[in-house]
Amino acid sequence: MEGDLERILLSRQQIAGRVHELGQEIAQTYKGGESDGITLVTILSGALIFVADLIRHLPFRMKIGLITVSSYRGATTQSKGSQLQQDLNVQVTGRHVLIVDDILDTGGTLRLVRERLAVCQPKSLRTCVLLRKPGKAPPDVQAEFVGFDIEDKFVVGYGLDYNDHYRNLPDIGILRREFYAIT
Ligand code: IMP
Ligand code: MG
């Protein structure tokens, strides 16, 4: 699998260090909010590994919600628009909600999830992404917590996939061009 990468962009050590820091930033923001209830809404499948590591750095009581969104990339690297595949499995009305996703690219996925959650009237709504490709998402779809800003290349590993492969790579790397199908 590693051989399919052009190069490693973020090593497992870099990721672990930053996830730890993000946990501290989030803990600081939600200090005292525990009594109102905090729910982390994980966007599947990409944020699966990130959220598992992140929550072990969060020292407060919380619930986890899951929502599945497809950005219809399939065997391409281009988003063909985001669509809800499996709706949210928990109630979030009146709770502090933190959306967790792997990467903020065009912002289509985050916009969809934010709109879906807003109708539930959470007490607050924030977003944490591990990666962001700067300048691509519109100003009204932004994340409060960002792990790394990266160049505009297609990346895989640590939960991020190409056609559902490579999620289990421990590092994040740029996929070699010859492994992309024609888009
Ligand atoms: P957006 O809707 O364009 O912001 O894209 C967000 C979703 O597309 C993420 O949740 C990822 O699942 C996927 N995605 C965007 N960029 C990449 C990438 O470089 N590698 C793998 N998946 C990506
Ligand atoms: Mg995703």
Side-chain angles (χ1 to χ4, degrees), residues 71 73 101-103 105-109 133 154-155 160-161:
S71 57
R73 281 178 166 84
D101 202 7
D102 51 359
I103 184 165
D105 185 18
T106 66
T109 300
K133 296 178 184 169
F154 196 79
V155 294
L160 291 116
D161 72 302

Side-chain angles (χ1 to χ4, degrees), residues 43-47 69 101-102 109:
I43 305 181
L44 295 176
S45 304
V69 176
D101 202 7
D102 51 359
T109 300

Side-chain angles (χ1 to χ4, degrees), residues 105 132-134 136 150-155:
D105 185 18
R132 174 175 64 185
K133 296 178 184 169
K136 293 195 74 188
I150 62 163
E151 56 200 285
D152 190 10
K153 294 268 175 68
F154 196 79
V155 294

Side-chain angles (χ1 to χ4, degrees), residues 50-81:
F50 174 40
V51 81
D53 284 344
L54 182 67
I55 57 173
R56 283 176 282 177
H57 294 293
L58 298 179
F60 47 73
R61 194 178 293 123
M62 70 170 76
K63 293 185 180 180
I64 293 185
L66 303 172
I67 190 166
T68 306
V69 176
S70 164
S71 57
Y72 278 117
R73 281 178 166 84
T76 74
T77 58
Q78 300 300 314
S79 174
K80 294 178 181 66

